[in-house]
Each structure stands twice: as structure tokens, then as C-alpha cells.
Amino acid sequence: MSDYLPLVHLYIHVPFCARRCSYCDFAIAVRREVPSQQFVDAGLAEWRTWQAHPAWIDSPSLATIYLGGGTPSHLDAGQLDRLISTIAGERAIDPDAEITLEANPEDVTHANATAWLAAGVNRISLGVQSFDDAVLTWMHRVHDAAAVSSAMSMLRSAGFTNVSVDLIFALPEALQRDWARDLDMALALEPEHLSLYGLTIEEGTPLGRWTARGESMPSPDERYAAEYLAAHRALAAAGFEHYEVSNAGREGHRASHNSAYWRRAPFIGLGPSAHSGFGSRRSWNVREWAQYQRLADAHATVRAEEETLNAEQLRLEELYLGLRTTEGLASELLPATAGVAWAASGWAEVADGRVRLTPEGWLRLDALVRSVA
Ligand code: SF4
């Protein structure tokens, strides 16, 4: 067995959504009817191309599987089961593997939740975003707030004991979103994990167009910072460990799959736009579902590009990944004065030979990395 390759992590990008959310620029395909069988056929065709790949031929098994999107919960549950069981039949999945499915609340029925669990899924990442119906409508989300508590009840009654909730903060002021109330409502659901994302305005999205026309104003930086820090305090008070810029979990519930990215563990990405990485090698797939399907069905490569990171790029990545978690970065990887100066500003703590950013530091992550890169 190779020393270089420990367990491999698998990401599967399921691109289908019922409609595009107002802020979303992900690689998605809007479909009323999800072509589940075609997707699983194409994904498995790509999966098989990886089996003989020299980069992971010696790797013993898969450590985690993460089905993201898009909206993987739109996939037909029987096809999801075929996808996971076929993969498991061809490459061992670690007995303790975390297998996550991103789910939108409107897809969580008792039948689906039971079928996901039976297929091997043991963690749900629930796309909640807000509990304010006016905000959800503005976001073009399909669900309303009532659907969230119903989804959580069904997940629990089906037997899920590891559920993460996604929330978006720093919304335009005009929406009058009550962030404290949304945090309270999220915590009242008693999830094991929470992910917090600041709203970003991307060109080509409905929100990008509204903003360009002056119909929507971005949240000021002060509001972004205030909501982020308020979330940190609320989560800490509720017993969560804020262990990464955007993620907080109860003890024993850090997201294993995402943590693998931050440790630079090897990962394979299947599906349109999915990325893969082994050591310094990175590759990514074609973005559009139709092109991906055509290529996969023809047993042609679905890879759009690949690159090998040079020493400078690897260092930059190491800085970003190290500083984004509470593991921090070895002090010797930074200029001697950086950690001390950051600590004096309240942006970092320096202990045990490591520099760990505080939430105030995470708010400045890009600038801090740039200052030492
Ligand atoms: S559900 Fe997620 S992936 Fe789909 S459009 Fe909305 S934000 Fe984008």
C-alpha cells in the first residue's frame, strides 16, 4: 500500500435543481423531471475510468462520500441506492465512512428519508438558508419555513442522527431579515452541525442583475462582520465548536468530508464541474450536464482541464487551508512577526507552535493570507 495515498474521499456533483436560486452561480441544470437513471449511468461510467488511475490504484478504500449539487435529494432514491451500492461493490467503503447527502427541505418525505438511510447515507446537509418566508421567496427557494421543521422531524423519525443546517447571512438590508431570530430557530431544531455562508453577488445571477440595476444593495461590510460574529457567539453559547471559517459542530460532529479538503487529502470528484485532487495534481470536469452526459456515455474523458500546482501555489493553498480551521498553521510557515502582530490585533492566537485565527481573523482571511504570501 502506498505511503503517499491514504483513504480517498469521493464527491459526486448532482447538478439538477427545480429552479435557479437568485444568488446561485453553481453548475446546475434546471429540470422539472430529473434524469436520475441517465445521471447515475454517466456518473458510474466516469467512476469506472478512475479505477485504474495510477494516482489511487493502491488506495485501500473510500473514507467519505459527499453528494452535493445542485440538489442531490431530487435524485430518485432507487437510483441513489444503485449509485452507492455499485460504488461499494467496486471499491471498499470504510465502515466508518461519513456519507452525506445535500437535501432541500421540500424533498424530505418519510419515504425518501428512509430510502436514503437504507442506501447508506448517514448524514444530511439541509439547505435551509432562512426561516423567513419573504426572504425565501426573494431567494427563489422552493421551500417555506414550515417545510424545514417538517423535514427535520421526518429525518429524525427515519433515524438520522447527523444533520447539518445551512444558513446564509449578510442579506441586503432592505429585506429586514432578523438574523438573530433565524439563528435561534436553527438552533431550536437541534442540528449536530451548522454551516454559515455570507451572501456573495455573482455576475450572471438574478441577484447580480438586480444589483447592477440598483434594485438590490449589497450588505455593507459592517453588517457582514456583525452577523458573522453574532453567529459565532450564539453557536459557542449553544455548545458548538466553530472549527472552520464557515462551519460549527457539536462534539464529534465535524464534517469529515470537508475536513479532508482542508487537510489536502486525496479526493475524486464525479459529475459535471466536479474537481479532483491528488497531491499537487488538480483536475476538473466539463461544466454542463448535457456535455458531461454525452462524453460519459461515449466513454470519452469528461475532464475539462488539469494542472500541477507549482511550489508557490502549493504554499498559498497551505496558508489558506491551515488558517481556515482551528487546527491553525505551524508558526514556522509564517514570517516571524506575522502571528505576533495578528495576535496583538485580536485576529489570531499563538500557542504550541501554531497560529490559529480567531473569528475576527477569519473575517480578514484573504487579506491576512495575501499579506504573508
Ligand atoms: S438549490 Fe442550491 S444549487 Fe440549486 S439553484 Fe439553489 S443554491 Fe443553486
Side-chain angles (χ1 to χ4, degrees):
M1 190 180 303
S2 164
D3 290 339
Y4 166 62
L5 284 176
L7 304 181
V8 170
H9 301 262
L10 179 65
Y11 174 78
I12 304 173
H13 185 78
V14 186
F16 310 109
C17 291
R19 61 176 151 169
R20 187 176 282 277
C21 297
S22 59
Y23 52 85
C24 178
D25 77 335
F26 294 161
I28 66 159
V30 174
R31 292 287 185 282
R32 189 187 295 266
E33 298 294 329
V34 173
S36 297
Q37 183 178 340
Q38 291 91 325
F39 175 79
V40 172
D41 287 346
L44 288 174
E46 186 193 358
W47 161 252
R48 293 195 173 106
T49 67
W50 278 99
Q51 293 305 306
H53 195 287
W56 85 313
I57 203 157
D58 293 335
S59 180
S61 56
L62 288 167
T64 63
I65 300 177
Y66 190 103
L67 292 120
T71 315
S73 55
H74 281 2
L75 267 190
D76 170 78
Q79 293 296 332
L80 176 69
D81 182 68
R82 179 166 76 94
L83 178 62
I84 296 176
S85 60
T86 305
I87 288 169
E90 296 177 3
R91 174 72 56 155
I93 299 178
D94 192 73
D96 298 325
E98 173 194 275
I99 303 182
T100 302
L101 179 82
E102 285 182 357
N104 279 353
E106 68 275 12
D107 291 331
V108 184
T109 61
H110 187 74
N112 273 346
T114 307
W116 296 336
L117 205 59
V121 175
N122 53 26
R123 181 173 184 270
I124 296 290
S125 174
L126 197 61
V128 173
Q129 318 313 354
S130 175
F131 294 85
D132 180 325
D133 283 342
V135 166
L136 291 169
T137 301
W138 177 85
M139 288 178 169
H140 293 177
R141 300 291 299 187
V142 175
H143 69 276
D144 60 13
V148 176
S149 45
S150 157
M152 193 58 132
S153 305
M154 277 187 271
L155 290 171
R156 295 303 194 199
S157 72
F160 279 99
T161 57
N162 195 355
V163 179
S164 181
V165 162
D166 279 7
L167 293 178
I168 297 182
F169 67 97
L171 302 182
E173 207 142 15
L175 291 171
Q176 298 196 311
R177 188 269 195 92
D178 186 339
W179 177 232
R181 174 180 174 271
D182 271 1
L183 281 172
D184 283 349
M185 292 186 75
L187 291 170
L189 292 174
E190 301 187 340
E192 281 70 31
H193 189 275
L194 269 143
S195 296
L196 308 162
Y197 301 105
L199 183 72
T200 54
I201 300 167
E202 309 291 349
E203 265 182 46
T205 62
L207 178 57
R209 290 190 286 278
W210 300 339
T211 306
R213 294 198 295 259
E215 295 164 11
S216 178
M217 294 295 289
S219 174
D221 289 351
E222 300 71 36
R223 186 184 175 95
Y224 185 106
E227 292 194 353
Y228 182 74
L229 296 175
H232 171 75
R233 287 191 297 273
L235 291 168
F240 283 75
E241 180 202 13
H242 190 176
Y243 65 94
E244 191 267 349
V245 181
S246 305
N247 289 284
R250 292 201 177 279
E251 195 179 343
H253 288 93
R254 289 186 180 199
S256 302
H257 184 85
N258 289 348
S259 297
Y261 294 141
W262 306 324
R263 285 198 321 274
R264 282 172 151 178
F267 60 95
I268 287 176
L270 304 180
S273 82
H275 284 56
S276 303
F278 288 87
S280 60
R281 299 288 294 162
R282 301 285 181 277
S283 63
W284 51 97
N285 289 347
V286 295
R287 186 176 163 95
E288 300 303 326
W289 155 243
Q291 186 186 9
Y292 175 87
Q293 184 191 18
R294 203 167 46 245
L295 292 168
D297 285 354
H299 301 287
T301 181
V302 295
R303 204 161 296 160
E305 279 187 70
E306 51 191 313
E307 66 175 355
T308 302
L309 301 186
N310 61 31
E312 196 179 322
Q313 291 168 315
L314 285 169
R315 171 172 155 74
L316 195 63
E317 188 181 76
E318 185 172 38
L319 291 173
Y320 263 112
L321 296 181
L323 290 172
R324 65 184 302 143
T325 74
T326 48
E327 305 309 312
L329 198 64
S331 301
E332 70 254 23
L333 295 173
L334 290 168
T337 53
V340 177
W342 295 351
S345 300
W347 301 337
E349 288 167 1
V350 182
D352 314 321
R354 300 191 77 77
V355 176
R356 299 177 176 88
L357 293 191
T358 60
E360 286 82 359
W362 282 334
L363 281 166
R364 299 165 174 80
L365 177 61
D366 288 349
L368 295 183
V369 169
R370 276 199 306 272
S371 72
V372 293

